[in-house]
Amino acid sequence: MSSAEGARPVVSHPAFRRLPPVHEVLQQPELAGVRAARGRATVLRTVRAALAEARELLARGEAPPVDPSSLARRATSLLMAERPSLRPVINASGVLLHTGLGRAPLAEEAVRAVAAVARGYCNLEFDLARNERGQRTAGVAELLARLTGAEAATVVNNNAGATVLSLRALASGREVIVSRGQLVEIGGSFRLPEIFEVSGAKLREVGTTNRTRLSDYERAIGPDTAALLRVHTSNYRIVGFTEDVPIAGLCALARERGIQAIDDVGSGALRPGQPPHISGEPTIAEGLAAGADLVLASGDKLLGGPQCGLIIGSHEAVTRVERDPLMRALRVDKLTLAALEATLRLALDPDLASRRIPLWAFLSASADSLGARSATLAERFRSELALDATVEATHAFLGGGSVPAEALPSSGVRVAPPCSAANLNEGEWAALLRSGDPPVVPRVHRGSVLIDLRAVPESNDVHLFEAVRRAADWARTGSP
Ligand SMILES: *Cc1c(COP(=O)(O)O)cnc(C)c1O
């Protein structure tokens, strides 16, 4: 932003004298509507931006329109082009829990619950019947207990927070034993050894990368040992000559030696089949049934809820966690709790959840139904937009640090840039789609752009079509 209102620019160009003063542009009737809607300060800022832009063009010897009315219109369009930095996008990447795209979308019921408590006050920590202080997580704790068979539960900001807090509450200053095969790094910043450092618990590694036996844990347990920790290797698999100890074996050993067992299942599947069509992921219910004192999981992975960390387990262990001063720093707000409670209520009925929780619905969609939608879209791309578009059987992935190896059969449309814009390569064509409204994030695969429908709700197909239409027009005309 350059010179202030009324002040003369330090380096004066003769052509600048043709520019009207700021107040004259501000008085233009074109700006009355936006001033009422957006306020005087915002309009003033954009008028200055329009003047600065004109000044720059004049300095380069160009001849932009400089009458007050044109500048006012230019200011209005600059204002209209301003978009919030956080915007909804269409996830056509085929990665269902894409961390870059905000992981799990929320169910409509969760969205409504968030809106209902966001607008006004709510009984976040207030017992309405007794007129006394209530427990912030009481409602979701009861639902989590019902869904998983646990005695108790609490919720924090995310699973990284749940891990730090649990290690601190149960094992600060003492040792926790972990297999060398489970020293995970998730998403670049969750690195188990560093999580340990922050928590104050001491990491005691046992076994080797590919093989850890019960006897390794047995030998490592000493007077300083507070717990055994199993960490799900969410984003990698160790295959070949391998051995690890099932959670039931770890829990039995912990019980026998009078120490705690913690199970970080990561992905947050409630029990086998919930969500559907996922196999080989540890579940919260199984960890608890095996006897873990605490099971830790993310709320925005396979549960399909808001970002949060679930801490579920025995009454005693959960109480220790809740009493830790760090709990206050990691606690969740009313919006998260509202979204989580609504998601958990849906999960009480797995059939309903498979239709209403978007992630569960994405997992439940048949490849045939995705194929039919792909065929409809491809046909419209060809006939209405004259694009070279073909249906393709694809593979979608869970992503977000879950089930690395498992590919879900999916379907999509391979769509080439418009032929009149044949100089566009696949990267540039994808970039146009990403900068559209709404942005579409496709996959660039084998030299072209692939739109995968596995993570696109059917109701978004019309928006997807319009977004591709605008990107194609843009590619053809060279301007949005
Ligand atoms: C994803 C994951 C985490 C981190 O969870 P966030 O909710 O992203 O903080 C921790 N442990 C495991 C095993 C995970 O899969």
Side-chain angles (χ1 to χ4, degrees), residues 20-21 24-31 47 50 65-77:
E24 207 170 302
V25 183
L26 278 175
Q27 280 159 8
Q28 295 304 303
E30 287 91 339
L31 291 174
V47 164
V66 291
D67 58 290
S69 167
S70 298
L71 286 162
R73 280 199 302 279
R74 180 62 190 150
T76 309
S77 61

Side-chain angles (χ1 to χ4, degrees), residues 99 103 157-163 182 184 186-187 190 192 195 230-235 264-268 281 296-301 307-310 400-402:
T99 302
R103 284 202 191 153
N157 179 57
N158 57 15
N159 193 19
T163 310
Q182 299 174 1
V184 302
I186 290 165
F190 182 96
L192 203 64
I195 291 285
R230 191 273 293 259
V231 184
H232 176 45
T233 56
S234 291
N235 50 7
D264 176 6
V265 298
S267 55
E281 280 290 284
L296 315 177
S298 294
D300 55 346
K301 289 182 181 171
Q307 177 194 303
C308 60
L310 311 176
S402 307

Side-chain angles (χ1 to χ4, degrees), residues 5-212:
E5 191 173 356
R8 293 215 165 271
V10 181
V11 183
S12 186
H13 194 284
F16 291 176
R17 266 178 251 130
R18 291 169 38 216
L19 286 171
V22 172
H23 65 84
E24 207 170 302
V25 183
L26 278 175
Q27 280 159 8
Q28 295 304 303
E30 287 91 339
L31 291 174
V34 279
R35 186 160 46 232
R38 306 283 295 269
R40 185 178 181 277
T42 299
V43 174
L44 175 61
R45 177 173 56 78
T46 34
V47 164
R48 283 185 175 147
L51 280 165
E53 186 187 75
R55 204 173 291 121
E56 207 169 286
L57 292 170
L58 289 169
R60 278 198 248 134
E62 291 176 40
V66 291
D67 58 290
S69 167
S70 298
L71 286 162
R73 280 199 302 279
R74 180 62 190 150
T76 309
S77 61
L78 286 176
L79 198 55
M80 295 307 160
E82 281 181 7
R83 296 189 184 132
S85 60
L86 200 54
R87 287 187 292 150
V89 308
I90 294 179
N91 176 8
S93 69
V95 179
L96 275 65
L97 294 171
H98 197 304
T99 302
L101 303 182
R103 284 202 191 153
L106 292 179
E108 211 37 57
E109 285 80 352
V111 173
R112 278 202 298 266
V114 169
V117 297
R119 232 172 252 123
Y121 300 105
C122 67
N123 57 335
L124 181 62
E125 288 191 4
F126 185 59
D127 187 325
L128 291 166
R130 298 206 183 107
N131 189 30
E132 59 189 37
R133 182 104 186 205
Q135 235 276 339
R136 165 181 296 247
T137 55
V140 291
E142 197 189 306
L143 281 167
L144 281 167
R146 248 158 83 189
L147 283 161
T148 62
E151 279 177 23
T154 192
V155 184
V156 292
N157 179 57
N158 57 15
N159 193 19
T163 310
V164 173
L165 180 60
S166 302
L167 289 173
R168 200 180 119 102
L170 300 192
S172 184
R174 300 181 64 201
E175 273 181 7
V176 175
I177 304 174
V178 187
S179 160
R180 289 201 168 86
Q182 299 174 1
L183 298 176
V184 302
E185 167 171 322
I186 290 165
S189 54
F190 182 96
R191 308 183 87 194
L192 203 64
E194 290 166 14
I195 291 285
F196 264 84
E197 273 172 37
V198 175
S199 75
K202 288 182 236 162
L203 169 62
R204 173 76 192 266
E205 303 172 22
V206 295
T208 61
T209 302
N210 57 325
R211 308 198 83 186
T212 303

Side-chain angles (χ1 to χ4, degrees), residues 202-288:
K202 288 182 236 162
L203 169 62
R204 173 76 192 266
E205 303 172 22
V206 295
T208 61
T209 302
N210 57 325
R211 308 198 83 186
T212 303
R213 302 182 187 84
L214 194 62
S215 56
D216 294 321
Y217 291 94
E218 276 170 348
R219 264 185 280 120
I221 296 175
D224 211 23
T225 308
L228 308 181
L229 169 66
R230 191 273 293 259
V231 184
H232 176 45
T233 56
S234 291
N235 50 7
Y236 65 98
R237 291 284 181 270
I238 295 177
V239 294
F241 186 58
T242 64
E243 184 173 346
D244 63 6
V245 181
I247 185 67
L250 272 195
C251 293
L253 176 60
R255 184 113 323 153
E256 191 188 303
R257 299 296 188 87
I259 56 177
Q260 311 274 314
I262 306 173
D263 187 14
D264 176 6
V265 298
S267 55
L270 290 168
R271 53 180 68 246
Q274 298 176 23
H277 308 287
I278 291 293
S279 57
E281 280 290 284
T283 69
I284 296 171
E286 288 170 311
L288 292 166

